[in-house]
């Protein structure tokens, strides 16, 4: 009995020593922990896709009901802002890919630089979106505001159901912008931990899953841009 207990104790002790520091005790291997993290983020991303799918369906329904109103209102959006933001997010996807590639090759400093670049590009996206929102606010149109005035927006006051398009625009881009902000804070945290030496080519789960999240944010915008800015 005593020898068995000793054997068990010794085995447990050796088991702990065999585990790298980053491996949680409830996983048997680093690969299993990595796969579990990826499965978790994919399940989360599915819920995000469902969220935005609801917005896309609402847009399709109202556009089918009021096509002329949507056509008139669509023309007030600034395609240049939308195009610039598309280029910015596509570039940020590239820098995110390079960040993951860098840590896979154990190039921690390069990974941190790419992550900071990705966050900077996210900031540019939010700056452009803020400028776009300000123009609409100055024209009497915002999330809770519908008093169109000024040369660019005053005609909308006479367009029936025009407010529906703008509400959908603000809801879709507002929720997306919130996701961009969350992604930026997430990447900053990952970069900060990277500077502390938390990640390596053996353990970069958080870099990988944050990259998946950022790519989802980019992909959703790829759908929003033509839907809101290009489809007249």
């Amino acid at each position: 009995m005593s020898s068995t207990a000793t054997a068990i104790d010794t085995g447990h002790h050796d088991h702990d020593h065999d585990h790298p520091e980053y491996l949680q005790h409830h996983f048997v291997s680093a690969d299993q922990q990595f796969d579990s993290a990826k499965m978790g983020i994919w399940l989360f991303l599915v819920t995000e896709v469902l969220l935005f799918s609801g917005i896309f369906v609402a847009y399709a329904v109202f556009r089918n009901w009021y096509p002329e109103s949507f056509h008139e209102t669509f023309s007030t959006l600034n395609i240049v802002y939308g195009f610039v933001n598309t280029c910015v997010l596509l570039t940020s996807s590239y820098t995110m890919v390079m960040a993951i590639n860098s840590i896979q090759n154990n190039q921690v400093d390069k990974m941190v630089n790419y992550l900071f670049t990705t966050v900077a590009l996210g900031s540019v996206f939010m700056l452009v979106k803020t400028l776009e929102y300000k123009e609409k606010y100055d024209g009497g149109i915002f999330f809770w505001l519908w008093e169109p005035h000024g040369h660019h927006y005053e005609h909308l006051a006479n367009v029936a159901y025009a407010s529906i398009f703008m509400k959908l625009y603000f809801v879709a881009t507002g929720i997306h912008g919130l996701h961009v902000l969350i992604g930026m804070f997430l990447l900053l945290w990952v970069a900060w931990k990277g500077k502390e030496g938390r990640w390596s080519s053996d353990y970069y789960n958080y870099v990988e899953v944050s990259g998946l999240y950022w790519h989802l944010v980019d992909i959703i915008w790829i759908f929003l841009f033509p839907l809101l800015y290009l489809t007249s």
Side-chain angles (χ1 to χ4, degrees), residues 22-112:
Y22 57 79
L23 182 61
Q24 300 295 319
H25 66 88
H26 45 279
F27 294 109
V28 298
S29 67
D31 288 340
Q32 186 192 43
Q33 179 171 287
F34 182 68
D35 292 340
S36 298
K38 287 190 73 172
M39 180 178 291
I41 188 65
W42 275 113
L43 288 174
F44 171 73
L45 295 182
V46 168
T47 65
E48 294 292 290
V49 170
L50 290 175
L51 169 65
F52 281 95
S53 295
I55 297 173
F56 292 147
V57 169
Y59 179 90
V61 170
F62 283 111
R63 179 186 168 80
N64 185 55
W65 286 352
Y66 313 116
E68 294 182 358
S69 298
F70 272 46
H71 175 74
E72 288 290 331
T73 316
F74 148 85
S75 62
T76 63
L77 297 186
N78 191 322
I79 295 178
V80 174
Y81 282 152
F83 178 74
V84 169
N85 266 348
T86 302
C87 294
V88 167
L89 280 190
L90 287 176
T91 306
S92 74
S93 265
Y94 170 76
T95 55
M96 190 66 237
V97 168
M98 293 307 297
I100 295 174
N101 179 263
S102 298
I103 194 61
Q104 287 174 335
N105 290 289
N106 227 15
Q107 299 171 316
V108 178
D109 289 340
K110 286 184 68 175
M111 178 208 67
V112 170

Side-chain angles (χ1 to χ4, degrees), residues 36-54 56 96 100 175-176 179-180 182-183 186 205-220 223:
S36 298
K38 287 190 73 172
M39 180 178 291
I41 188 65
W42 275 113
L43 288 174
F44 171 73
L45 295 182
V46 168
T47 65
E48 294 292 290
V49 170
L50 290 175
L51 169 65
F52 281 95
S53 295
F56 292 147
M96 190 66 237
I100 295 174
I175 294 177
H176 177 264
H179 281 71
V180 173
I182 293 172
L186 178 63
N205 295 9
Y206 286 86
V207 185
E208 179 84 15
V209 297
S210 60
L212 287 172
Y213 175 86
W214 191 257
H215 290 317
L216 175 77
V217 170
D218 295 346
I219 291 171
I220 289 172
F223 282 95

Side-chain angles (χ1 to χ4, degrees), residues 8 42 53 140 168 173 184:
I8 292 174
W42 275 113
S53 295
L168 285 171
T173 57
M184 289 167 58

Side-chain angles (χ1 to χ4, degrees), residues 11 17-18 31 33 46 97 109 127 140 147 153 162 193 203 218:
H17 274 287
D18 290 341
D31 288 340
Q33 179 171 287
V46 168
V97 168
D109 289 340
L127 175 62
E147 297 174 358
Y153 299 106
K193 290 299 179 182
Y203 179 58
D218 295 346

